Amino acid sequence: METDMQRRSAVVDLGSNSVRLVVFEGVSRNPLPIFNEKAVLRLGRGLTTTGRLNEEGVGMAMEVLSRFHAIARAMQADPFEVLATAAVRDATNGPAFVEMLRQSMPGVPVRILSGKEEADHSAIGVMCGIPGADGLVADVGGGSLELIHLTETGRHDATTLPLGMIRLADRSEGDLDAAKLLTDQDIDGVEWLSGVKGRPLYLVGGAFRALARLQIARTQYPLNIVHYYTLDVQEAREMTGWLQNSSRRSLERLPGAPRKRLDDIPFAAVVLRRLMKKVQPSKIVFCVDGLREGWYMMNVAPSCLPQDPMETVARDMCARFGRSNTLPEVLWTWTGFIKPEETPEEQRLRRIACWLSDIGSHDHPEYRAEQTYLRILRVQGAGFDHRARVWLSLALAVRYSVDMSSPALMPSFALLTDEERRDAVACGLALRLAYSLSGGAGSLLEGTSLAWEGAELVLTLTSARVAVKGESVRRGLERLGQALGVQTRFEVELAV
């Protein structure tokens, strides 16, 4: 019998610029793509003047969709659905094209999403990728720009504008000054935007992701992950100015430059700059989850959305790589002393660290610390912002006795404050001490406690089964005290 983890589902996102098939595995809070392929069709090219889909793109689409259909069926994906967006929605020959697709893929639902439906999918996708997102979502495609007022409770207002990259280039005839005027006119007509001023601006869509990739490469940002990449307003303003004034050749020289998107870059920069002028956001946050992830959460895993995505990933990793599913809760209680006045976010990070604390147990001991660091730093999963990644990576590398001078730790040193680094190191040392005391057995750890007595950190042992005089335990306690800048001592209170 098929289990939830064996189940596969697939969606085709048929846009104005490209078509993409994503096959997901399992039913989980964090969508897991196991196949992801894109083809550039430019279906929407010329739509502004002809009112029709690009004929060359239509022919390519029939070939590509036939292949995608074969792949999804061979991978036994169910449900499998095709979602068509702005170009197909607006073209006079859109319905005829969809009928051709239905005939070539019998039994496969092919839906033309309305602007509202597209906004709903994108909103759920952002909620999936950035829990607690509260502000303005801007999802750009080839044919349209969806603007969505999103709060923790869901989508509120939504508007679709003809500001997709292909359509804006067509409407402005390739002139950036004309594109600025058109963008201002369209954005100014959205009355509800005044209600999202001063809040975060979340950017979704391939053209916006391309902006992030170029900025990451240009600034040598230490983490090559677009999701949750965040800029303040001044940084974003400077970036858009640079992109509008840079030649294609200069952008091509940047490592990892998205060459197929470079023609869209100036227009994406224009749209972002004009949006920023209108809504004066508090910050800019890039999100890789959008329509496709929204489809997954709506059709495959709707009951999973309320779960904490970070804890879900941590529990899954613990089950796959660790030795105990019960020890993390014991560690969570035992490490509660580290910072007496933790914020809720600090508590959350420590809790996730406890669940991740044994994921290197089966790695080669010479590479265990660095492997654990990289595994957490690069884990695929929603909910991990960049600070959480580098904090948890550092804490768990310290738990495995990492060499603090290792170049691999550079992202943590670059992105964390001094206080955040100290907290991560203290958490890692506390976890290392806990494993020295218990060997990973919760029953032994429960025979000890670590607590403050005034300004002194006291390790109390109440069970004769614990190796009281173990040198590794003594060194571990001393290192923890040094990291916290306090004195430490042992106490033995064996039960009679």
Side-chain angles (χ1 to χ4, degrees):
M1 181 179 294
E2 182 186 69
T3 67
D4 277 352
M5 289 311 297
Q6 295 170 322
R7 179 182 174 187
R8 290 173 176 172
S9 54
V11 62
V12 171
D13 179 358
L14 183 56
S16 304
N17 180 62
S18 62
V19 59
R20 185 185 296 270
L21 167 66
V22 180
V23 180
F24 298 101
E25 186 164 80
V27 179
S28 171
R29 174 57 181 80
N30 299 300
L32 177 62
I34 58 171
F35 184 89
N36 188 329
E37 185 174 305
K38 179 183 77 170
V40 176
L41 305 178
R42 296 274 177 177
L43 274 175
R45 184 165 53 193
L47 179 64
T48 300
T49 54
T50 67
R52 296 175 59 82
L53 297 172
N54 178 282
E55 291 299 333
E56 182 181 357
V58 168
M60 292 172 60
M62 298 303 296
E63 293 181 8
V64 172
L65 266 295
S66 177
R67 177 169 174 274
F68 284 176
H69 180 213
I71 290 171
R73 285 295 179 241
M75 296 182 75
Q76 300 181 333
D78 183 22
F80 169 46
E81 191 167 9
V82 177
L83 306 180
T85 54
V88 178
R89 180 168 66 233
D90 297 340
T92 57
N93 60 337
F97 171 58
V98 167
E99 186 56 35
M100 290 170 57
L101 290 177
R102 287 173 176 155
Q103 290 179 12
S104 68
M105 298 184 295
V108 177
V110 182
R111 294 174 53 202
I112 302 177
L113 296 182
S114 67
K116 178 182 178 298
E117 289 173 327
E118 190 172 350
D120 284 340
H121 281 71
S122 296
I124 296 295
V126 173
M127 293 171 67
C128 171
I130 303 181
D134 189 332
L136 176 65
V137 174
D139 184 355
V140 70
S144 65
L145 172 73
E146 272 66 52
L147 296 178
I148 307 156
H149 176 196
L150 188 66
T151 71
E152 292 187 20
T153 61
R155 179 188 70 77
H156 294 266
D157 304 291
T159 300
T160 297
L161 300 176
L163 292 175
M165 295 300 93
I166 295 176
R167 188 169 296 185
L168 181 58
D170 285 349
R171 291 173 67 200
S172 64
E173 298 181 344
D175 182 87
L176 287 185
D177 288 333
K180 293 174 185 177
L181 291 174
L182 289 167
T183 303
D184 282 341
Q185 290 171 8
D186 289 348
I187 291 175
D188 286 344
V190 184
E191 297 180 357
W192 57 263
L193 283 179
S194 59
V196 295
K197 277 189 175 181
R199 290 158 68 186
L201 172 58
Y202 303 95
L203 301 183
V204 180
F208 284 150
R209 289 196 298 272
L211 302 188
R213 289 193 179 98
L214 291 168
Q215 180 73 354
I216 285 172
R218 174 201 181 204
T219 60
Q220 298 182 331
Y221 183 76
L223 199 55
N224 190 23
I225 296 176
V226 170
H227 189 56
Y228 261 117
Y229 180 53
T230 302
L231 300 173
D232 63 35
V233 173
Q234 184 56 41
E235 289 171 328
R237 187 178 294 117
E238 192 275 336
M239 176 190 72
T240 56
W242 161 63
L243 290 169
Q244 289 179 62
N245 294 300
S246 294
S247 67
R248 181 186 176 99
R249 179 171 295 182
S250 67
L251 295 179
E252 284 177 335
R253 286 197 287 265
L254 290 169
R259 293 176 179 270
K260 292 183 179 180
R261 288 283 185 185
L262 291 183
D263 291 338
D264 297 335
I265 292 299
F267 296 97
V270 163
V271 170
L272 175 55
R273 186 72 170 261
R274 310 322 289 177
L275 264 178
M276 289 170 56
K277 181 180 178 182
K278 179 72 174 181
V279 302
Q280 301 170 26
S282 58
K283 60 182 177 180
I284 312 298
V285 184
F286 292 87
C287 178
V288 302
D289 291 345
L291 182 145
R292 296 177 293 274
E293 291 73 22
W295 174 88
Y296 173 89
M297 297 309 298
M298 294 168 73
N299 293 275
V300 180
S303 64
C304 296
L305 190 59
Q307 298 172 7
D308 182 333
M310 281 178 61
E311 185 159 336
T312 299
V313 168
R315 286 174 178 266
D316 288 346
M317 293 179 74
C318 176
R320 281 186 289 149
F321 302 120
R323 293 170 292 177
S324 170
N325 286 325
T326 58
L327 181 62
E329 291 294 345
V330 179
L331 289 170
W332 161 245
T333 301
W334 195 85
T335 58
F337 74 91
I338 298 176
K339 196 170 185 179
E341 296 182 359
E342 283 181 308
T343 66
E345 181 57 23
E346 288 169 339
Q347 284 187 342
R348 183 171 180 240
L349 285 174
R350 180 170 60 83
R351 181 172 180 80
I352 301 302
C354 291
W355 278 100
L356 294 171
S357 62
D358 201 35
I359 65 170
S361 60
H362 301 295
D363 292 326
H364 191 288
E366 294 296 329
Y367 298 98
R368 188 171 287 153
E370 186 171 324
Q371 179 69 14
T372 298
Y373 183 88
L374 294 176
R375 184 176 286 142
I376 298 170
L377 188 73
R378 299 171 181 173
V379 65
Q380 178 169 304
F384 279 80
D385 64 26
H386 289 196
R387 175 179 170 271
R389 285 177 183 273
V390 296
W391 193 99
L392 290 165
S393 298
L394 180 59
L396 274 300
V398 170
R399 175 264 186 271
Y400 284 117
S401 305
V402 73
D403 178 353
M404 293 297 288
S405 65
S406 170
L409 304 184
M410 187 272 289
S412 294
F413 282 87
L415 298 180
L416 294 176
T417 65
D418 290 344
E419 180 181 357
E420 288 168 342
R421 284 197 300 274
R422 286 193 298 270
D423 288 347
V425 168
C427 181
L429 289 172
L431 290 170
R432 191 196 310 180
L433 176 59
Y435 278 91
S436 294
L437 280 164
S438 66
S443 60
L444 292 183
L445 194 60
E446 289 171 341
T448 73
S449 67
L450 197 56
W452 295 100
E453 290 189 10
E456 195 173 39
L457 189 60
V458 180
L459 174 60
T460 303
L461 301 112
T462 59
S463 171
R465 293 179 296 170
V466 180
V468 178
K469 297 181 180 180
E471 185 59 27
S472 63
V473 173
R474 293 187 182 279
R475 287 199 309 269
L477 182 60
E478 289 172 2
R479 290 192 189 101
L480 180 56
Q482 289 168 2
L484 294 171
V486 299
Q487 295 296 314
T488 61
R489 78 168 192 272
F490 277 107
E491 275 195 5
V492 180
E493 295 180 359
L494 300 181
V496 178

